[in-house]
Amino acid sequence: MIERGGAEFRILLDLAEEELRAFMDDRLADGILQVRRGLVQGQAGYDGVYGQVKIFEKEVPLPNLPLNSIFLAVNF
C-alpha cells in the first residue's frame, strides 16, 4: 500500500476517498473513513484489561489465512 498511496500518515489522513479505493479493499477504505469522521466506539480499559475501539458495528471475520499472508486480502 505504501508504494501506491505514499506514507502511512498520507494514507490515513490525507488521501481522498476515491484515491483510497483505487488501491485498497473497500472495507479497509471504509474503516479509514469512519475513523477520520470520528464514527468509532471506544471502551476504556481497566485493571490490566486493554481498551477497545470498534470501527464497524457488525464484526466480519477475516478469512482463515496464515499470518504471513494476511495482506493478500488487500488489493495492492
Side-chain angles (χ1 to χ4, degrees):
M1 278 196 277
I2 303 298
E3 289 179 10
R4 299 274 315 267
E8 292 96 337
F9 281 115
R10 182 172 184 260
I11 293 170
L12 295 173
L13 302 173
D14 299 329
L15 291 181
E17 181 176 349
E18 300 79 30
E19 293 173 295
L20 292 173
R21 294 187 190 284
F23 67 91
M24 68 175 60
D25 181 76
D26 282 340
R27 184 157 167 82
L28 182 56
D30 289 341
I32 291 171
L33 295 169
Q34 292 284 89
V35 171
R36 284 184 187 177
R37 295 174 183 137
L39 301 174
V40 296
Q41 298 175 6
Q43 181 178 0
Y46 58 93
D47 297 329
V49 176
Y50 291 108
Q52 296 182 5
V53 176
K54 292 188 178 186
I55 298 172
F56 300 106
E57 297 222 6
K58 181 179 177 185
E59 296 201 20
V60 177
L62 291 172
N64 190 12
L65 299 171
L67 186 58
N68 63 352
S69 64
I70 195 161
F71 295 106
L72 294 176
V74 179
N75 297 327
F76 289 105

Coordinates of all heavy atoms in Angstrom, one line a residue:
M1 N 0.8 -1.2 0.0 CA 0.0 0.0 0.0 C 0.9 1.3 0.0 O 0.5 2.3 -0.6 CB -0.9 0.0 1.2 CG -2.1 -0.8 1.0 SD -3.4 -0.5 2.2 CE -2.9 -1.5 3.5
I2 N 2.0 1.2 0.7 CA 2.9 2.4 0.7 C 3.3 2.8 -0.7 O 3.4 3.9 -1.0 CB 4.1 2.1 1.7 CG1 3.6 1.7 3.1 CG2 5.0 3.3 1.7 CD1 2.8 2.7 3.8
E3 N 3.6 1.8 -1.5 CA 4.1 2.1 -2.8 C 3.0 2.8 -3.6 O 3.3 3.6 -4.5 CB 4.5 0.8 -3.6 CG 5.7 0.2 -3.0 CD 6.1 -1.1 -3.7 OE1 5.5 -1.5 -4.7 OE2 7.0 -1.8 -3.2
R4 N 1.7 2.4 -3.4 CA 0.6 3.1 -4.2 C 0.1 4.3 -3.6 O -0.2 5.3 -4.3 CB -0.5 2.1 -4.3 CG -0.2 0.8 -5.1 CD -0.4 0.9 -6.6 NE -1.5 1.5 -7.1 CZ -2.7 0.9 -7.4 NH1 -2.8 -0.4 -7.2 NH2 -3.6 1.6 -7.9
G5 N 0.1 4.4 -2.2 CA -0.5 5.5 -1.5 C 0.4 6.5 -0.9 O 0.0 7.6 -0.5
G6 N 1.7 6.1 -0.8 CA 2.6 7.0 -0.2 C 2.8 6.7 1.3 O 2.5 5.6 1.8
A7 N 3.2 7.7 2.1 CA 3.5 7.5 3.5 C 2.2 7.1 4.3 O 1.1 7.4 3.9 CB 4.1 8.8 4.1
E8 N 2.4 6.4 5.4 CA 1.2 6.0 6.2 C 0.3 7.1 6.6 O -0.9 7.0 6.5 CB 1.7 5.3 7.5 CG 2.4 4.0 7.3 CD 4.0 4.1 7.2 OE1 4.5 5.3 6.9 OE2 4.7 3.1 7.4
F9 N 0.9 8.2 7.1 CA 0.0 9.3 7.5 C -0.7 9.9 6.3 O -1.9 10.4 6.5 CB 0.8 10.4 8.3 CG 1.1 10.0 9.7 CD1 2.4 9.8 10.1 CD2 0.1 9.9 10.6 CE1 2.7 9.5 11.4 CE2 0.3 9.5 11.9 CZ 1.6 9.3 12.3
R10 N -0.1 9.9 5.2 CA -0.8 10.4 4.0 C -2.0 9.6 3.7 O -3.1 10.1 3.4 CB 0.1 10.4 2.8 CG -0.5 11.0 1.5 CD 0.6 11.2 0.4 NE 0.0 11.8 -0.7 CZ -0.4 11.1 -1.8 NH1 -0.2 9.8 -1.9 NH2 -1.0 11.7 -2.8
I11 N -1.9 8.2 3.8 CA -3.0 7.3 3.5 C -4.1 7.5 4.6 O -5.2 7.6 4.3 CB -2.5 5.9 3.5 CG1 -1.5 5.6 2.3 CG2 -3.6 4.9 3.5 CD1 -0.8 4.3 2.4
L12 N -3.6 7.5 5.9 CA -4.6 7.6 6.9 C -5.3 8.9 7.1 O -6.5 9.0 7.5 CB -3.9 7.3 8.3 CG -3.4 5.8 8.4 CD1 -2.6 5.7 9.7 CD2 -4.6 4.8 8.3
L13 N -4.7 10.0 6.7 CA -5.2 11.4 6.9 C -5.6 12.2 5.7 O -6.5 13.0 5.8 CB -4.2 12.2 7.8 CG -3.8 11.5 9.1 CD1 -2.7 12.4 9.8 CD2 -5.0 11.4 10.0
D14 N -4.9 12.0 4.6 CA -5.0 13.0 3.5 C -5.6 12.5 2.2 O -6.3 13.3 1.6 CB -3.6 13.5 3.2 CG -2.9 14.2 4.4 OD1 -3.7 14.8 5.2 OD2 -1.7 14.2 4.5
L15 N -5.5 11.3 1.9 CA -6.0 10.9 0.6 C -7.5 10.9 0.5 O -8.2 10.6 1.5 CB -5.5 9.4 0.2 CG -4.0 9.2 0.0 CD1 -3.8 7.8 -0.4 CD2 -3.6 10.2 -1.2
A16 N -8.0 11.3 -0.6 CA -9.5 11.4 -0.9 C -10.0 9.9 -0.9 O -9.3 9.0 -1.2 CB -9.8 12.1 -2.1
E17 N -11.3 9.8 -0.7 CA -12.0 8.5 -0.7 C -11.7 7.8 -2.0 O -11.4 6.6 -2.0 CB -13.5 8.7 -0.5 CG -14.2 7.4 -0.5 CD -15.7 7.5 -0.2 OE1 -16.1 8.6 0.2 OE2 -16.4 6.5 -0.3
E18 N -11.8 8.4 -3.1 CA -11.6 7.8 -4.4 C -10.1 7.3 -4.6 O -9.9 6.2 -5.1 CB -11.9 8.8 -5.6 CG -13.3 9.3 -5.6 CD -13.5 10.4 -4.6 OE1 -12.6 11.2 -4.3 OE2 -14.7 10.5 -4.1
E19 N -9.2 8.0 -4.0 CA -7.8 7.6 -4.1 C -7.6 6.4 -3.2 O -6.8 5.5 -3.6 CB -6.9 8.7 -3.6 CG -6.9 9.9 -4.6 CD -6.1 11.1 -4.0 OE1 -6.5 11.7 -2.9 OE2 -5.0 11.4 -4.6
L20 N -8.2 6.3 -2.1 CA -8.1 5.1 -1.2 C -8.6 3.9 -1.9 O -8.0 2.9 -1.9 CB -8.8 5.4 0.1 CG -8.2 6.4 1.1 CD1 -9.2 6.6 2.3 CD2 -6.9 6.0 1.6
R21 N -9.8 4.0 -2.4 CA -10.5 2.9 -3.0 C -9.8 2.4 -4.3 O -10.0 1.2 -4.7 CB -11.9 3.2 -3.3 CG -12.7 3.4 -2.1 CD -14.2 3.6 -2.3 NE -14.9 4.0 -1.2 CZ -15.2 3.3 -0.1 NH1 -14.9 2.0 -0.1 NH2 -15.9 3.8 0.9
A22 N -8.9 3.2 -4.9 CA -8.2 2.8 -6.1 C -7.2 1.7 -5.8 O -6.8 1.0 -6.7 CB -7.5 4.0 -6.7
F23 N -6.7 1.6 -4.6 CA -5.6 0.7 -4.3 C -5.8 -0.2 -3.1 O -4.9 -1.0 -2.7 CB -4.2 1.3 -4.2 CG -4.1 2.3 -3.1 CD1 -3.5 1.8 -1.9 CD2 -4.4 3.6 -3.2 CE1 -3.4 2.7 -0.8 CE2 -4.2 4.5 -2.1 CZ -3.7 4.0 -0.9
M24 N -7.0 -0.1 -2.5 CA -7.2 -1.0 -1.3 C -8.6 -1.5 -1.3 O -9.5 -1.0 -2.0 CB -6.9 -0.3 0.0 CG -7.9 0.9 0.3 SD -7.6 1.6 2.0 CE -5.9 2.2 1.8
D25 N -8.8 -2.6 -0.5 CA -10.1 -3.2 -0.3 C -11.1 -2.1 0.2 O -10.8 -1.3 1.0 CB -10.0 -4.3 0.7 CG -11.3 -5.1 0.9 OD1 -11.6 -5.9 0.0 OD2 -11.9 -4.8 2.0
D26 N -12.4 -2.2 -0.2 CA -13.4 -1.3 0.2 C -13.6 -1.2 1.7 O -13.8 -0.2 2.3 CB -14.8 -1.6 -0.5 CG -14.8 -1.1 -1.9 OD1 -14.0 -0.2 -2.3 OD2 -15.6 -1.6 -2.7
R27 N -13.5 -2.4 2.3 CA -13.8 -2.4 3.8 C -12.6 -1.7 4.5 O -12.9 -1.0 5.5 CB -13.8 -3.9 4.3 CG -14.2 -4.0 5.7 CD -14.8 -5.3 6.0 NE -14.8 -5.6 7.5 CZ -15.8 -5.1 8.3 NH1 -16.7 -4.4 7.8 NH2 -15.7 -5.4 9.6
L28 N -11.4 -1.8 4.1 CA -10.3 -1.1 4.7 C -10.5 0.4 4.5 O -10.3 1.2 5.4 CB -9.0 -1.6 4.1 CG -7.7 -1.0 4.7 CD1 -7.7 -1.1 6.2 CD2 -6.5 -1.6 4.1
A29 N -10.9 0.8 3.3 CA -11.1 2.2 3.0 C -12.3 2.7 3.9 O -12.2 3.8 4.4 CB -11.4 2.4 1.5
D30 N -13.3 1.9 4.0 CA -14.4 2.3 4.9 C -14.0 2.6 6.3 O -14.4 3.5 7.0 CB -15.6 1.3 4.9 CG -16.3 1.2 3.6 OD1 -16.3 2.2 2.8 OD2 -17.0 0.2 3.3
G31 N -13.1 1.7 6.8 CA -12.6 1.8 8.1 C -11.8 3.1 8.3 O -12.0 3.8 9.3
I32 N -10.9 3.4 7.4 CA -10.2 4.6 7.5 C -11.1 5.8 7.5 O -10.9 6.8 8.3 CB -9.1 4.7 6.3 CG1 -8.0 3.6 6.5 CG2 -8.5 6.1 6.2 CD1 -7.1 3.5 5.3
L33 N -12.1 5.8 6.6 CA -13.0 7.0 6.5 C -13.8 7.1 7.8 O -14.1 8.2 8.3 CB -13.9 6.8 5.3 CG -13.1 6.9 4.0 CD1 -14.1 6.5 2.8 CD2 -12.6 8.3 3.7
Q34 N -14.3 6.0 8.4 CA -15.0 6.0 9.7 C -14.2 6.7 10.8 O -14.7 7.5 11.5 CB -15.4 4.6 10.1 CG -16.4 3.9 9.2 CD -17.8 4.5 9.5 OE1 -18.2 5.4 8.8 NE2 -18.5 3.9 10.4
V35 N -12.9 6.3 10.9 CA -12.0 6.8 11.9 C -11.8 8.3 11.7 O -11.9 9.1 12.6 CB -10.7 6.1 11.9 CG1 -9.7 6.8 12.9 CG2 -10.9 4.7 12.4
R36 N -11.6 8.7 10.4 CA -11.5 10.2 10.1 C -12.7 11.0 10.6 O -12.6 12.1 11.0 CB -11.3 10.4 8.6 CG -10.0 10.0 8.1 CD -9.9 10.3 6.6 NE -8.7 9.9 5.9 CZ -8.5 10.0 4.6 NH1 -9.4 10.6 3.9 NH2 -7.4 9.5 4.1
R37 N -13.9 10.4 10.4 CA -15.1 11.1 10.7 C -15.4 11.0 12.2 O -16.4 11.6 12.6 CB -16.2 10.6 9.9 CG -16.1 10.8 8.4 CD -17.1 10.1 7.6 NE -16.9 10.3 6.2 CZ -17.0 9.4 5.2 NH1 -17.3 8.2 5.5 NH2 -16.7 9.7 4.0
G38 N -14.7 10.3 12.9 CA -14.9 10.1 14.4 C -16.1 9.2 14.7 O -16.7 9.2 15.7
L39 N -16.4 8.3 13.7 CA -17.6 7.4 13.9 C -17.1 6.1 14.4 O -17.3 5.0 13.8 CB -18.3 7.3 12.5 CG -18.8 8.6 11.9 CD1 -19.4 8.3 10.6 CD2 -19.9 9.2 12.9
V40 N -16.5 6.1 15.6 CA -16.0 4.9 16.2 C -16.5 4.8 17.6 O -16.9 5.8 18.2 CB -14.5 4.8 16.2 CG1 -13.9 4.8 14.8 CG2 -13.9 6.0 17.0
Q41 N -16.6 3.6 18.2 CA -17.0 3.4 19.5 C -15.8 3.0 20.4 O -15.0 2.2 20.0 CB -18.0 2.3 19.6 CG -19.3 2.7 18.9 CD -20.3 1.5 18.9 OE1 -20.0 0.5 19.6 NE2 -21.3 1.6 18.1
G42 N -15.6 3.7 21.5 CA -14.5 3.4 22.3 C -14.9 2.9 23.7 O -15.9 3.3 24.2
Q43 N -14.2 1.9 24.2 CA -14.4 1.4 25.5 C -13.1 1.4 26.3 O -12.1 0.8 25.8 CB -15.0 -0.1 25.4 CG -15.3 -0.7 26.7 CD -15.9 -2.1 26.6 OE1 -16.0 -2.6 25.5 NE2 -16.2 -2.7 27.7
A44 N -13.1 2.1 27.4 CA -11.9 2.3 28.2 C -11.4 0.9 28.8 O -12.3 0.1 29.1 CB -12.1 3.3 29.3
G45 N -10.1 0.8 28.9 CA -9.6 -0.4 29.6 C -9.6 -0.1 31.1 O -9.8 1.0 31.6
Y46 N -9.3 -1.2 31.9 CA -9.3 -1.1 33.3 C -8.5 -2.3 33.9 O -8.5 -3.4 33.3 CB -10.7 -1.1 33.9 CG -11.5 -2.3 33.5 CD1 -11.5 -3.4 34.4 CD2 -12.2 -2.3 32.3 CE1 -12.3 -4.5 34.0 CE2 -12.9 -3.5 32.0 CZ -13.0 -4.5 32.9 OH -13.7 -5.7 32.5
D47 N -7.8 -2.1 35.0 CA -7.2 -3.1 35.8 C -6.4 -4.1 34.9 O -6.6 -5.4 35.1 CB -8.2 -3.9 36.7 CG -8.8 -3.0 37.7 OD1 -8.1 -2.0 38.1 OD2 -9.9 -3.2 38.1
G48 N -5.6 -3.7 34.0 CA -4.9 -4.6 33.1 C -5.6 -5.1 31.9 O -5.1 -6.0 31.2
V49 N -6.9 -4.7 31.8 CA -7.6 -5.1 30.6 C -7.5 -4.0 29.5 O -7.8 -2.8 29.9 CB -9.1 -5.3 31.0 CG1 -10.0 -5.7 29.7 CG2 -9.2 -6.4 32.0
Y50 N -7.1 -4.4 28.4 CA -7.0 -3.4 27.3 C -8.3 -2.8 26.9 O -9.3 -3.5 26.9 CB -6.4 -4.0 26.0 CG -4.9 -4.4 26.2 CD1 -4.6 -5.8 26.3 CD2 -3.9 -3.5 26.2 CE1 -3.2 -6.1 26.4 CE2 -2.6 -3.8 26.4 CZ -2.3 -5.1 26.5 OH -1.0 -5.5 26.6
G51 N -8.3 -1.5 26.5 CA -9.5 -0.9 26.0 C -9.7 -1.3 24.6 O -8.9 -2.0 24.0
Q52 N -10.9 -1.0 24.0 CA -11.2 -1.4 22.7 C -11.7 -0.3 21.9 O -12.4 0.6 22.4 CB -12.3 -2.5 22.7 CG -11.8 -3.8 23.4 CD -12.9 -4.8 23.3 OE1 -14.0 -4.7 22.7 NE2 -12.7 -6.0 23.9
V53 N -11.4 -0.3 20.6 CA -12.0 0.7 19.6 C -12.7 -0.1 18.6 O -12.1 -1.0 18.0 CB -10.9 1.6 19.0 CG1 -11.5 2.5 18.0 CG2 -10.2 2.4 20.1
K54 N -14.0 0.1 18.4 CA -14.8 -0.6 17.4 C -15.1 0.4 16.2 O -15.6 1.5 16.5 CB -16.0 -1.2 18.0 CG -15.8 -2.3 18.9 CD -17.0 -3.0 19.3 CE -16.7 -4.1 20.3 NZ -17.9 -4.9 20.6
I55 N -14.7 0.0 15.1 CA -14.9 0.8 13.9 C -16.2 0.5 13.2 O -16.9 1.3 12.7 CB -13.7 0.7 12.9 CG1 -12.4 1.2 13.6 CG2 -13.9 1.5 11.6 CD1 -11.2 0.9 12.8
F56 N -16.5 -0.8 13.1 CA -17.7 -1.3 12.5 C -18.7 -1.8 13.5 O -18.2 -2.4 14.5 CB -17.4 -2.4 11.5 CG -16.5 -1.9 10.4 CD1 -15.2 -2.3 10.4 CD2 -16.9 -1.0 9.4 CE1 -14.3 -1.9 9.4 CE2 -16.1 -0.6 8.4 CZ -14.8 -1.0 8.4
E57 N -20.0 -1.7 13.3 CA -21.0 -2.2 14.3 C -21.0 -3.7 14.3 O -21.0 -4.4 15.3 CB -22.3 -1.6 14.0 CG -22.4 -0.1 14.1 CD -23.7 0.3 14.8 OE1 -24.4 -0.5 15.2 OE2 -23.9 1.5 14.9
K58 N -21.0 -4.3 13.1 CA -21.0 -5.7 12.9 C -19.7 -6.2 12.6 O -19.1 -5.7 11.6 CB -22.0 -6.1 11.9 CG -22.2 -7.6 11.7 CD -23.2 -7.9 10.6 CE -23.3 -9.4 10.4 NZ -24.1 -9.8 9.3
E59 N -19.1 -7.1 13.3 CA -17.8 -7.7 13.0 C -17.9 -8.8 12.0 O -18.8 -9.6 12.0 CB -17.2 -8.2 14.3 CG -16.9 -7.1 15.3 CD -15.9 -7.5 16.3 OE1 -15.1 -8.4 16.1 OE2 -15.9 -6.9 17.4
V60 N -17.1 -8.7 11.0 CA -17.0 -9.7 9.9 C -15.7 -10.4 10.1 O -14.6 -9.8 10.1 CB -17.1 -9.0 8.5 CG1 -16.9 -10.0 7.5 CG2 -18.4 -8.2 8.4
P61 N -15.7 -11.7 10.2 CA -14.5 -12.5 10.5 C -13.6 -12.4 9.2 O -14.0 -12.4 8.1 CB -14.9 -13.9 10.7 CG -16.3 -14.0 10.2 CD -16.9 -12.6 10.2
L62 N -12.3 -12.3 9.5 CA -11.3 -12.4 8.4 C -11.2 -13.8 7.9 O -11.4 -14.8 8.6 CB -9.9 -11.9 8.9 CG -9.8 -10.4 9.3 CD1 -8.5 -10.2 9.9 CD2 -10.0 -9.6 8.0
P63 N -10.8 -14.0 6.6 CA -10.6 -15.3 6.1 C -9.5 -16.0 6.9 O -8.6 -15.4 7.4 CB -10.2 -15.1 4.7 CG -9.9 -13.7 4.5 CD -10.5 -12.9 5.7
N64 N -9.6 -17.3 7.1 CA -8.6 -18.1 7.8 C -7.4 -18.3 7.0 O -7.2 -19.2 6.2 CB -9.2 -19.5 8.2 CG -8.3 -20.2 9.2 OD1 -7.4 -19.6 9.7 ND2 -8.6 -21.5 9.4
L65 N -6.5 -17.3 7.1 CA -5.2 -17.3 6.3 C -4.0 -17.5 7.2 O -4.1 -17.0 8.4 CB -5.1 -16.0 5.5 CG -6.2 -15.7 4.5 CD1 -6.0 -14.3 4.0 CD2 -6.1 -16.6 3.3
P66 N -3.0 -18.0 6.7 CA -1.7 -18.0 7.6 C -1.3 -16.5 7.8 O -1.6 -15.6 7.0 CB -0.7 -18.7 6.7 CG -1.5 -19.4 5.6 CD -2.8 -18.7 5.5
L67 N -0.7 -16.3 9.0 CA -0.3 -15.0 9.4 C 0.5 -14.2 8.3 O 0.2 -13.1 8.1 CB 0.4 -15.0 10.7 CG 0.7 -13.7 11.3 CD1 -0.5 -12.9 11.6 CD2 1.5 -13.8 12.6
N68 N 1.4 -14.9 7.7 CA 2.2 -14.2 6.7 C 1.5 -13.8 5.4 O 2.0 -13.1 4.6 CB 3.5 -15.0 6.4 CG 3.2 -16.3 5.8 OD1 2.0 -16.7 5.7 ND2 4.2 -17.0 5.3
S69 N 0.3 -14.3 5.2 CA -0.5 -14.0 4.0 C -1.7 -13.1 4.3 O -2.6 -13.0 3.4 CB -0.9 -15.3 3.3 OG -1.8 -16.0 4.1
I70 N -1.8 -12.5 5.5 CA -3.0 -11.7 5.8 C -3.1 -10.5 4.9 O -4.3 -10.1 4.6 CB -2.9 -11.2 7.3 CG1 -4.3 -10.7 7.7 CG2 -1.8 -10.2 7.5 CD1 -4.5 -10.7 9.2
F71 N -2.1 -10.0 4.3 CA -2.2 -8.9 3.4 C -2.6 -9.3 2.0 O -2.8 -8.4 1.1 CB -0.8 -8.1 3.3 CG -0.5 -7.5 4.7 CD1 0.5 -8.1 5.5 CD2 -1.2 -6.4 5.2 CE1 0.8 -7.5 6.7 CE2 -0.9 -5.9 6.4 CZ 0.1 -6.4 7.2
L72 N -2.8 -10.5 1.7 CA -3.3 -10.9 0.4 C -4.8 -10.5 0.2 O -5.2 -10.4 -0.9 CB -3.3 -12.4 0.3 CG -1.9 -13.0 0.3 CD1 -1.9 -14.6 0.2 CD2 -1.0 -12.5 -0.9
A73 N -5.5 -10.2 1.3 CA -6.9 -9.7 1.1 C -7.0 -8.3 0.7 O -8.1 -7.8 0.3 CB -7.6 -9.9 2.5
V74 N -5.9 -7.6 0.6 CA -5.9 -6.2 0.2 C -5.4 -6.1 -1.2 O -4.4 -6.7 -1.6 CB -5.0 -5.4 1.1 CG1 -4.9 -3.9 0.7 CG2 -5.4 -5.5 2.6
N75 N -6.1 -5.3 -2.1 CA -5.7 -5.1 -3.4 C -4.5 -4.2 -3.5 O -4.6 -3.0 -3.3 CB -6.8 -4.5 -4.3 CG -8.0 -5.5 -4.4 OD1 -7.8 -6.7 -4.4 ND2 -9.2 -4.9 -4.4
F76 N -3.3 -4.7 -3.8 CA -2.1 -3.8 -3.9 C -2.0 -3.3 -5.3 O -2.3 -3.8 -6.3 CB -0.9 -4.6 -3.5 CG -0.8 -4.8 -2.1 CD1 -1.1 -6.1 -1.6 CD2 -0.5 -3.8 -1.2 CE1 -1.0 -6.4 -0.2 CE2 -0.5 -4.1 0.2 CZ -0.7 -5.4 0.6

